[in-house]
Structures are given as structure tokens and as C-alpha cells.
Amino acid sequence: MESVYAPLSESCAKALGDKVYEKRKLASQEIEKMVTEFNAKNNSAQIRKLIEVLSNDFASSRDANKRKGGLIGLAATSLGLGKDSSKYVSELVTPILNCLSDQDLRVRYFACESLYNVVKVARSSIIPFFPDLFSALSRLVADSDQMVKDGSELLDRMLKDIVTESSQNFNLEAFIPLLKERIYVKNSYVRQYVISWISILNAVPEINMVTYLTDIIDGLFTMLEDNTQEIQRMCETTLTQFLKSIRNDSSSVRMEDTINILITHAQSPNELIKSTAITWIREFVIIFGSKVLPYASGIFTAILPCLEYNVDNMKNIKECAVSVNKSMMKLVSSKEHKSQNIEQLDLRSIMAVLSQYLTHNSVQTKVAVLEWIHHLIIHFPNEMSNHSSQLGNNLLTILSDNSDEVVLRCISVLAEIVNSQHSKETTDFNKAHYRKFLLSLVNLFSDDKSILDYRASLIIRQLCVLLNAEYIYLTFAEIINEEISNLKFASLLVRLLNSILMTSSELFELRTTLRDISNPNSANLFKTLYLSWAHCPVSTISICLLSQSYQHVSELVNLFAEIEITLELLTELDKLVQLIETPIFASLRLTLVSKDNNCADAQYLAHALFGILMLLPQTDAFNMLKNRLQCIPNYWGQQPISEKHSLQYKSNINFVDLLQHFKKVQRNHREQRLTQRKRSVLVNDI
């Protein structure tokens, strides 16, 4: 009677399902011999029947020992078939694959061993089953049993050898979805397994993994956060290999999708991920050039916060970010592709990012942002015009920054905005954009006294360098006359403007202009400034001394008898005396010893200075001015004063009207002080 396990004999079938390994081994040897004979006679029917028995009655049995026997029997069948096992590879592999996930760890181990033998014999014929093998092994490498892990590693190495030598038959497109699925598994063993396959395939010349880089690069960067150093090392090495491949052949990579992934990871809190991503961005900027410009806003989001890093472990990130920033600036300003560049730049999104980082804590970041805004305005003034006008308020707030470098950069941007608008119009300074800008600056000084006290001088001096100093002072003067109702603030602002005018090297040319009021342009400048300088008596004297209007100075000093002499005014007079001793007023001091045509000016000047001396308490300033006046020769002292010989007379300026204006302004100041005192008394009474 034929055995129910035919073509297996009853005794062989019994031994194959025995719990003792040696008996199963003997049975497998009998099967191998049987299959060899069947194959020699081309008896494929018997071979298929045998495989079916081993698969259904043994490998799929509920009895674990039978399953083990079925697995060793299938391996023996493959060995017996030799190179002809490729004809039966599907029937051989399928039942073994099912056992790789068996609950019994010994069955799983024998399944690995069995599959190893089948793969070793079948070689390239196994490739169509690679996706299933890869999925199964990705689970086994994380198995709880070490023997199963060891068995899966042997099988994995065999598979890698086969895929490498048969790469032309490998279906990479079918493999990528498996990688994408497994690459996000957090188990370190699985990660190591996945990275090893990516690295192996990327090293095969016939396989172009770069084509599918976008599908896996996110997972690779995610793996860098693994706590296992070996995983980090493998991942870094693999990414370095990919980057090298891209340098050699950039046409295969989907740059547009890949760079967005890099930008995302460059913002990771993980230092290694951030560093690697920014390194990649740097390389992409070098490799792809202007093609990265559409992604400028994302690149800025990635690199700008990194510019603040100063600690040792973050310096590499900072240096890389600085390099990217410089490269991007060169790309944007390339004259060769200027029209193409502006078409690729999304200025709206770029300005949104730059505006966001204007308020960053880092000085370096804010400086870089301001440099970028300045750079864009210079190279694309027309396209930036709408964005520039919206920047105004944000930039004004930056003027209160603690860093001088940030403030100076900000002033440069503001000046460039004004210049870019000004160039579209005539050379007439009195334009709405100029006035609007300086009025907003005055309002800032008014709202924040700390800026007025500690930043205003720097701001105004720098603006006078970057813009037309005369325009600046004329516009400020008009604003003070027409817009400011707070007389106290007007006085403070005039005092500041006068101090800058009298002492700053940046205002040398403007001082030179004011010294020649016989020139109509200089006379107009003097009159405009005088109208606002009238808010501050000592400042008014200063500007008249500068313009050599000594007769008018003499008249102003006489009016001090009607002005309330406060500590503040005495302090200003003290500063004026010290100013007279500086090189700026060398010509004034020489006037005191002049003869002939300047005799009248010398007499008026001496009279004014003696008047100031009489106003001063006997302080160091008093002694300084007293000593100076004692040096005046008396060779003109007895001569009558002829105003027709004075420089003031030659200017054709109506000083009578100016004097009346001065009196009116000072009267308004006095009335306002009285009103404030009354209010103060009433408040105290309440």
C-alpha cells in the first residue's frame, strides 16, 4: 500500500516529523538523494508532489516538529535539485516564508536556515521574491531570540551578495516602497538593517539609488537621532556617499523635492540632524546654483537662526550657515543672470521670513537679515519698492536695539529705502517720502526718550553720511516748526541737532555751508534752521556764531535778560564756552584779533562774549572765557561800530524778523512753563 506521504516512505515521513533533530537530519538526507534521482530522470511530477507534501503536510502542520521537518526537507529538496531548483523556486520559498513568522522560535530559526540553503542554490532566481524576503528579514533582525537574529544575518548577507552580482535583474522601483515603509521603524536593529541595504545598493554602479533619494532621505535624516552610535555612523556614511554621487551626477536627483526635506531637517533641535542638513544645503547651493533661488525663503528659515551659535559644539553649524548665506548673496547679485534671478525669487515669502527674524534675539541674525534687505533693495529696487514701504515700522523699532551694529545696519537700510524712492523723482529734497521718514523718526524720539538720549545722535549722524546732510537738517527743521506742539520736546530735539551740527565730523560740509551766508543757498539754510533753533536760546546763539552773524548774537545775548535763567540754560552756556575753544570755532577766535573789514564783526563778537561771561556763574567755564577775552587787543576798541562792514549785513537776511520770531517762540515757551506749573500746583492741592 502506497504511503499517504508518497513519494516519502512511511519511515522517512515518521523520521522527518520526529522531535529529535538527528532523525530529521537523516530523513532530509534521504529526501536529497531521492530528489537527485528524480531530477536525473526529469521526473518533475514526483518532485512537485514531494514539495507539495513537504509544504502542506509538514511545513504547514500544527505540530512544531513536523514544521521543522518540512523546513529541513524543503532545504534538502533544493540541494538535491542543484541549479535546477530555479524551476521550483516559488514552491520552495513560499512555505518557508510563512514559517519565518512562526510563534515557535526554533521553527523561525530553522526557517532561516532552510531559506539560506534554498537561496544559496537558487541564486538570482530568488530575486523576484526579494520584496517578501526583505520584509520578513526586517522583522527577524529585531527578533527576541539571538539564534534567530544570527540566522537572519547569514541569510541577509547571502541575499546582498546575490543582489549585487545580479543587479541588472533587480527591480529597484518595487523595492523603494518597502524601504519607505521600513525606514521609519524606530528599532535600532531594523534601522541598521535598512541602512545597510541602502548603502549596499548605492555602491552598485548599475543601480542608481540617487533617482529615488527623495523617497528615502527624510527617513535617513530621521535615523540620525538614534541613540546608537553605530546607527548614526552608518547613516552619516550613507548620506556622505549619496552626496558624493550627487556631486558626480546631479541630473538624477529631484532637487526641488529634496531641498524642501533638507530645509525641514535643518530646523531640527537635534544638532547632528541640523548640522548634516545645513551641510547638504550648502552643497546644493554650490551644485545647483540659481536653481535653489525659488527656495530662498526656506533656506533663510533654516540658516538665519544658526548664525548666533558660538559654543564649540555648534561652531561647525554656524560656519556652514555663514557659508550658505554668502553663497546665496552671490547668487542673488549675479549680474549675468539678473533677470532670471528676480523671476525665481519669491520676494513676498522672502520678506515674510526676513521680517520675522528682524526681532530675533541674536545680533548676528538681525545683522544678516538687515544685510539681506539692503542687498535686495540695491539689486532689485523696483521689485522691492512695495515691500520696502511695508518695512518702515518694523525697521524703526530696531533702532532701539542694544547693539550698535544692528542699529547702524538698520539705518543703512532705511537710508537705502529713502534713496531708492528719491531716485525716481527730482532732486528737490522736499518730497513726501523724505518728510514721512524723518517725521516717523521724530515721533519715535518723542515716544521713547531712551532712544532720544542714547541712540538719536548715532542715528542722525549716520543718516547724514548716507543721505544728504543738508536735506536731513532742512527737513528736521521744517518738522519742528510745523509738526511739533510739545515745546519741551522741540527744545530737546533742537539741542541734539545743534550738538551734532557743531561737533560731528560727519557735518563738516554743512558747517562750511553755513559759514557763508552771503550765498543765497546758505542764507536759506540758515533761515530755515534758525526758525526751529529758536526753541533753544543757546543753540540759536551757536548757529549764529557758526554763520558769523555776530551782530545778531550780540542782540540775542541782550535778550537773555528777559529769559528765565535756569540750571539747564547755564549748563548749555557752559558747553557753548567749551565749544568756542574747539578747532571748529578757530575762525571765531581769530575774528577777535582781526582788523580792517572785520573790525565790526570783532566788536559785535566781543560784546556778545562779554555778555555771555556776565551770564555765567564763576565756574571753570567763566574763567576759561574770561582768560580768552583778556587776550583781545584794544587797537579797535575805541572805533565806532559800523554794521555795514559786518558779514551779517552782506547776507541780505532780515534779522529783524528772525529776532521777532525768536522772541515769539521764547514767549510761547514761557507761557507753557507757567501753565504747567499751575497744573502742578492744582494737582498737589487736590
Side-chain angles (χ1 to χ4, degrees), residues 591-623:
T591 299
L592 290 172
V593 296
S594 63
K595 287 186 176 182
D596 303 327
N597 292 335
N598 289 332
C599 184
D601 285 321
Q603 288 177 295
Y604 283 126
L605 177 57
H607 177 269
L609 294 179
F610 273 111
I612 293 172
L613 184 67
M614 292 302 103
L615 291 171
L616 288 169
Q618 295 189 30
T619 59
D620 290 343
F622 174 89
N623 293 326

Side-chain angles (χ1 to χ4, degrees), residues 282-335:
R282 180 184 63 187
E283 293 298 319
F284 268 44
V285 172
I286 295 170
I287 295 168
F288 295 102
S290 60
K291 291 181 181 179
V292 305
L293 291 180
Y295 310 94
S297 60
I299 292 173
F300 291 157
T301 301
I303 66 170
L304 288 174
C306 302
L307 299 177
E308 68 170 321
Y309 299 152
N310 290 315
V311 292
D312 290 340
N313 61 324
M314 302 289 270
K315 280 186 178 179
N316 178 57
I317 297 176
K318 178 178 180 176
E319 289 172 2
C320 204
V322 169
S323 176
V324 173
N325 193 52
K326 289 180 179 178
S327 297
M328 288 293 290
M329 210 162 253
K330 287 180 181 178
L331 285 177
V332 168
S333 58
S334 170
K335 294 180 180 179

Side-chain angles (χ1 to χ4, degrees), residues 80-91:
L81 288 168
K83 62 180 181 179
D84 290 328
S85 63
S86 59
K87 301 175 184 178
Y88 309 93
V89 69
S90 177
E91 294 96 322

Side-chain angles (χ1 to χ4, degrees), residues 468-492:
N468 186 299
E470 183 174 334
Y471 290 2
I472 293 287
Y473 265 74
L474 281 168
T475 308
F476 268 132
E478 290 179 351
I479 290 171
I480 292 169
N481 288 330
E482 300 167 14
E483 303 283 351
I484 299 177
S485 58
N486 185 333
L487 300 183
K488 178 66 174 176
F489 172 67
S491 177
L492 289 173

Side-chain angles (χ1 to χ4, degrees), residues 41-151:
K41 297 176 182 180
N42 291 322
N43 192 347
S44 60
Q46 285 293 83
I47 294 172
R48 293 189 186 282
K49 187 175 180 181
L50 174 60
I51 293 174
E52 184 179 353
V53 169
L54 292 172
S55 299
N56 296 334
D57 296 336
F58 286 86
S60 300
S61 173
R62 292 184 178 180
D63 186 334
N65 291 321
K66 276 193 171 185
R67 294 200 297 277
K68 296 172 189 175
L71 290 168
I72 199 171
L74 288 167
T77 301
S78 180
L79 292 172
L81 288 168
K83 62 180 181 179
D84 290 328
S85 63
S86 59
K87 301 175 184 178
Y88 309 93
V89 69
S90 177
E91 294 96 322
L92 290 168
V93 169
T94 302
I96 302 175
L97 281 172
N98 293 332
C99 289
L100 287 174
S101 57
D102 199 279
Q103 291 183 348
D104 189 308
L105 65 89
R106 295 293 293 170
V107 172
R108 295 198 300 276
Y109 171 74
F110 282 115
C112 289
E113 187 180 72
S114 176
L115 193 55
Y116 177 85
N117 286 307
V118 172
V119 169
K120 181 174 68 173
V121 176
R123 304 301 293 180
S124 61
S125 300
I126 205 74
I127 287 181
F129 298 92
F130 178 78
D132 294 326
L133 292 170
F134 178 85
S135 296
L137 285 172
S138 68
R139 293 189 298 270
L140 291 177
V141 293
D143 199 277
S144 58
D145 183 72
Q146 188 60 46
M147 285 183 63
V148 176
K149 284 182 184 179
D150 293 342

Side-chain angles (χ1 to χ4, degrees), residues 173-241:
E173 190 171 349
F175 175 57
I176 293 301
L178 295 175
L179 271 182
K180 288 178 67 175
E181 177 189 347
R182 295 293 173 182
I183 205 166
Y184 293 104
V185 175
K186 293 186 177 181
N187 183 279
S188 294
Y189 294 105
V190 177
R191 283 178 165 175
Q192 188 170 358
Y193 171 75
V194 170
I195 296 171
S196 67
W197 267 104
I198 294 172
S199 181
I200 286 291
L201 293 175
N202 191 42
V204 178
E206 293 80 12
I207 296 177
N208 189 4
M209 283 291 287
V210 175
T211 304
Y212 299 95
L213 176 61
T214 303
D215 298 305
I216 60 176
I217 193 170
D218 179 66
L220 286 172
F221 270 95
T222 302
M223 284 192 203
L224 286 172
E225 69 183 2
D226 198 283
N227 294 326
T228 308
Q229 288 187 353
E230 178 63 16
I231 303 297
Q232 290 181 359
R233 184 195 62 77
M234 289 178 66
C235 208
E236 284 186 271
T237 302
T238 302
L239 284 167
T240 301
Q241 291 170 350

